[in-house]
Every structure is written in structure tokens, then in C-alpha cells.
Amino acid sequence: MTDAYSTQTLKVSLSSGVAYVVIDNPPLNLLDAALMKDLDRFADAMSGDHDIRVIVFDSADPDFFVAHGDMTAADDPAAFVGLPVAPGEDQALNPMMRLHERIRSLPQVTIAKLRGLARGGGAELMSAMDMRFASLERAGMAQMECRLGIIPGAGGTAYLPGLVGRARALEIILGGQLTDAETAERIGWVNRAVPDAELDHVVDTLAARIAALPPGVVRAATEAVDSAAESTTQGLRKANELLNGLFGEPAAARLAKAALAAGAHTRDGERHLEALVDDIT
């Protein structure tokens, strides 16, 4: 795969273990058939790419991340259900659900950079990702489907309870109102709401830090956290299994020795341990 390429609706660049994906589907960045197919093909390519560890999703439109799903699908439900998206996935799910589950299951860490609005299927696409960061001044999210006589149909009812809790998920879904970035951060829908001028720096710095972690660490941490969602006991057992595997890798012993040599286990070193660790990696 080349370092930069474009599809009908996506602009992709690859750099130092990070894939930067800019959604560009004018005039509104609707989650229509074209965007769904491009995202599906991109996710398929990423599923076997071991060189890419982080994927950052952004938008070319400063007003809309993804506006929402294509409402014209209501005129022809059969055509929507028949969209060839994630054909190997659970065919009991509709194409949007299959797409979002494919993205949610990617081996890379997925991060959404929200500078504008994301409603309906656009908000559900973000909720399927591992992390979300929002512009304090510009971002907003909503699940407005119930006001249109349906329910969120692209994963919102499944993803939101784990992010914000059952009661707040019902408030978002049944209330159908726009959630601003500050509120989204407070209830857990986004990781952080930061000033718009700082959004790129915050997300890109985090992505670079994750991509620079030793081999196997990103996937192990993600699997351990996901396993704990099933049960605490299962999560602990899985974490112990993964931890033992990482202890067997050369990086663990090398980095521990380097940390000790740099001042870990000393009073001064422990006061600034994060900076100490950054300097040795």
C-alpha cells in the first residue's frame, strides 16, 4: 500500500505506523453507499496490516464529521439491506451495523477527531471507534432517529450503554437532542473536549505515542480491556495471559533495565517517571 492515496470519498495517508483517514464526501459527508463501500474496503485492507497500529479518522468538512446516514434509504429498504458491505460478517445485521462492527473489530486503535457535527449513523460510526476527541467550540453529536419514527440502526443502541451508561443512552436516544462537546466529555461519549486550536495536536500526539509502543503491546492492552467488559475475572485472566507473553519479549527486560539506569527506584526519578520513561523509549 502506498503512503498516500484517495478513493471516491476518502483521503488516506500513512506515516510511522499511523493511518490518517480524511472523510471527503461532499456536500454533507453523508454515510451513503459510496462512503460505506470505501470505508469497508479500507477496513478490509487494514485488518491484515501489521505495520499500521493506529487509525485516525478526520473530516474534510469543518462543519460535519459525518452528517448522518442517507435518508433516501427509507425509499428503498431492500436496496439498502442488499448493499455488499462486509459480506463475510453477520448477515443478520444491516450493512451499517456490519461496517461499524468491522471498524470496531480492527486490530488497530481507532480514534475519531470530531470538529463538526455527527448525527445518526455518523455518531454511531464514531461510537464504534476506540476513542473520540472533540472540538470544544465546534463539535456536537446526536441520535435523532426516534424523532423520525425509527431507532438508531447502525449500532447506537449497542455502543452507547457501554460508553455513557443505560440511563444516559436512553436520554440521548429518546431525547434526540444535540449533545455539545463539553457534555459529551462529561458523560463519557468522548474522551476529551479540547479547544479547537489544540485538537490536531492532542490527537496526533496521542496517535504517535501509541504507534511507537513496543510490538504486541497495543493489541495486548486492547484485548485485556475488551475481555474485562465480559467479566472482571475473565479480564484478569486474559490480562495475566497477555502479560506473561509480553514479559517473554526482549523489549520488556531491555526497557526495565534502561528505566532503572535512568533513575527509576530513586526519589528524584520517581517524581518525574513519565518523562524518564519517554526519554528511554
Side-chain angles (χ1 to χ4, degrees):
M1 187 176 292
T2 58
D3 291 340
Y5 66 95
S6 297
T7 66
Q8 181 181 342
T9 64
L10 302 177
K11 296 176 181 176
V12 181
S13 59
L14 311 175
S15 176
S16 301
V18 182
Y20 297 92
V21 183
V22 178
I23 299 168
D24 189 11
N25 190 28
L28 291 171
N29 270 5
L30 286 176
L31 190 59
D32 57 14
L35 178 54
M36 289 172 63
K37 290 176 183 177
D38 279 352
L39 284 169
D40 184 52
R41 284 190 285 265
F42 170 77
D44 191 50
M46 287 292 104
S47 64
D49 192 323
H50 302 294
D51 295 326
I52 299 298
R53 298 182 183 178
V54 186
I55 304 171
V56 175
F57 290 88
D58 199 351
S59 171
D61 189 324
D63 294 325
F64 298 98
F65 179 78
V66 171
H68 48 70
D70 184 357
M71 292 185 184
T72 63
D75 295 331
D76 192 359
F80 169 69
V81 172
L83 281 173
V85 173
E89 308 297 326
D90 187 349
Q91 294 301 301
L93 305 181
N94 69 51
M96 279 188 179
M97 290 178 177
R98 296 199 301 270
L99 172 64
H100 293 169
E101 277 296 275
R102 171 167 279 187
I103 291 173
R104 188 180 70 85
S105 302
L106 282 171
Q108 295 85 7
V109 172
T110 51
I111 305 176
K113 187 187 292 185
L114 178 63
R115 184 161 269 119
L117 301 174
R119 297 185 175 100
E124 290 164 296
L125 172 63
M126 292 187 61
S127 294
M129 296 180 195
D130 293 310
M131 305 181 210
R132 291 149 292 282
F133 292 82
S135 163
L136 193 57
E137 300 94 332
R138 301 175 58 88
M141 305 164 72
Q143 300 291 166
M144 73 301 179
E145 292 90 342
C146 287
R147 306 293 293 174
L148 297 173
I150 57 173
I151 63 172
T157 55
Y159 302 142
L160 276 172
L163 296 173
V164 304
R166 179 180 183 274
R168 282 174 169 155
L170 287 171
E171 178 185 356
I172 290 167
I173 292 167
L174 296 176
Q177 294 182 308
L178 189 68
T179 301
D180 61 62
E182 184 177 6
T183 303
E185 178 191 58
R186 179 166 50 80
I187 65 177
W189 202 352
V190 300
N191 290 60
R192 276 193 281 160
V194 301
D196 189 70
E198 299 175 15
L199 182 60
D200 291 334
H201 174 73
V202 168
V203 174
D204 295 349
T205 298
L206 176 62
R209 287 176 65 86
I210 295 171
L213 289 170
V217 170
V218 174
R219 195 63 219 155
T222 304
E223 286 184 22
V225 169
D226 289 344
S227 182
E230 302 295 328
S231 77
T232 301
T233 299
Q234 180 177 326
L236 290 169
R237 288 173 176 167
K238 185 64 174 178
N240 190 52
E241 172 193 330
L242 294 164
L243 177 63
N244 288 335
L246 290 172
F247 269 134
E249 296 294 326
R254 174 178 58 80
L255 291 169
K257 290 177 181 177
L260 289 167
H265 287 201
T266 68
R267 294 186 69 83
D268 187 58
E270 294 293 333
R271 289 191 183 98
H272 311 283
L273 188 62
E274 290 77 18
L276 181 153
V277 170
D278 281 349
D279 286 342
I280 66 171
T281 56

